[in-house]
Amino acid sequence: MTSAMRWLAAVFMLVTGVVGLAAQNSTDIAAKNIAAMEETLLAASDSIKEMTAVADTLPVMSARAKKHRTLTPGDSAVKKKEKRDWETWKPNPQRALWLAMVLPGAGQIYNRKYWKLPIFYGGMMGCLYAMNWNNMMYKDYSQAYLDIMDDDPTTESYNKFLHLGRKIDSSNEERYKTLFKSRKDKFRRWRDMSFFCLIGVYALSVIDAYVDAELSEFDISKDLSMKVAPAIIGGKSSRNTIDASSALGLQCSLNF
């Protein structure tokens, strides 16, 4: 019994020593892990301080940019296209000029003067209609004049210009020749005039687009007033007397 008790005591002491060593090793490992975590936190704190210092040196973001700043899933800032402020927008005269030259009316659209479009487009359409009508009448009277001037009896296109029951014979042939020739020349002149009017309307639209864009930055004060006051016209006058060569009149001053 005594030897058995000794063996049990020895085994208990051995187990107790092993458990104690294991506990000590676990404590040392935990202490090492805590120390490593503290070092990692210190390094992260230093990195955050460096990033904050760099951010302080960058330009301050404007309020409008902050308003339109969006974050992507990767936490990256994406700037949205800033919307145009139409209240403070001013047109570019050169761009308005080129747009009006390339496409009639595009300059007025660029300047946001839409009410001018019916004027210019109506003028152009009227000129085109007049040019087409006068050209058609010129061709008809020109053919009628050629037919009445030749000796071919089968060519009688001029009959459609005659009234019902009227015929061309030797008594009135010269009069109709003169009439057809004058009308042919008249419609040709009107056709050419319609073409030049079309060019004039086009040029006017280009000039209007450029001038309108140029004057968009011309500031005119709302304090527009005119003052009329008596004044001495001509001659040299002193403070109390008026020279004989001078005269009294009205002076008009305009403030704008």
Side-chain angles (χ1 to χ4, degrees), residues 11-231:
V11 170
F12 178 74
M13 292 176 64
L14 180 62
V15 172
T16 304
V18 172
V19 171
L21 290 175
Q24 185 177 0
N25 292 334
S26 300
T27 305
D28 295 339
I29 292 172
K32 290 180 180 180
N33 291 334
I34 293 172
M37 291 176 64
E38 290 179 353
E39 292 179 357
T40 304
L41 291 174
L42 290 174
S45 177
D46 295 337
S47 300
I48 292 173
K49 290 180 180 180
E50 293 178 359
M51 293 175 63
T52 305
V54 173
D56 293 338
T57 60
L58 296 176
V60 181
M61 186 180 296
S62 62
R64 182 175 294 179
K66 288 181 179 180
K67 183 178 180 181
H68 295 285
R69 185 175 179 270
T70 339
L71 294 179
T72 58
D75 199 20
S76 60
V78 179
K79 292 183 179 180
K80 289 184 177 181
K81 186 177 180 181
E82 187 177 344
K83 294 183 179 180
R84 177 176 293 173
D85 189 2
W86 292 107
E87 295 181 357
T88 59
W89 176 78
K90 302 295 182 182
N92 186 357
Q94 297 294 333
R95 182 173 296 179
L97 175 65
W98 285 108
L99 286 173
M101 291 177 63
V102 173
L103 180 64
Q108 283 71 29
I109 296 175
Y110 174 72
N111 293 335
R112 302 184 68 204
K113 297 299 177 63
Y114 308 111
W115 61 271
K116 295 182 180 180
L117 293 177
I119 299 175
F120 290 113
Y121 282 134
M124 290 182 181
M125 293 301 295
C127 292
L128 288 173
Y129 178 79
M131 187 169 59
N132 182 52
W133 169 262
N134 291 317
N135 184 57
M136 180 181 65
M137 298 301 293
Y138 164 72
K139 289 182 178 180
D140 291 342
Y141 277 103
S142 179
Q143 185 63 41
Y145 178 71
L146 292 176
D147 292 345
I148 200 174
M149 291 297 293
D150 61 17
D151 297 330
D152 189 0
T154 59
T155 56
E156 297 180 351
S157 61
Y158 48 82
N159 287 329
K160 63 181 179 180
F161 296 107
L162 302 178
H163 296 286
L164 295 177
R166 300 296 299 272
K167 292 183 179 180
I168 296 178
D169 50 19
S170 57
S171 61
N172 56 9
E173 184 177 2
E174 293 298 328
R175 184 171 65 87
Y176 277 106
K177 287 181 180 180
T178 305
L179 178 64
F180 290 156
K181 185 178 185 303
S182 63
R183 290 188 178 181
K184 173 179 69 69
D185 296 337
K186 179 182 67 174
F187 284 113
R188 182 184 60 187
R189 288 193 303 269
W190 286 0
R191 181 198 61 185
D192 299 341
M193 188 181 299
S194 301
F195 175 74
F196 287 114
C197 289
L198 176 64
I199 296 178
V201 174
Y202 167 75
L204 185 62
S205 67
V206 174
I207 296 172
D208 173 78
Y210 178 77
V211 173
D212 195 1
E214 190 71 35
L215 294 180
S216 61
E217 299 181 359
F218 186 75
D219 186 15
I220 299 178
S221 176
K222 294 182 179 180
D223 186 13
L224 183 63
S225 61
M226 184 177 66
K227 183 183 295 183
V228 179

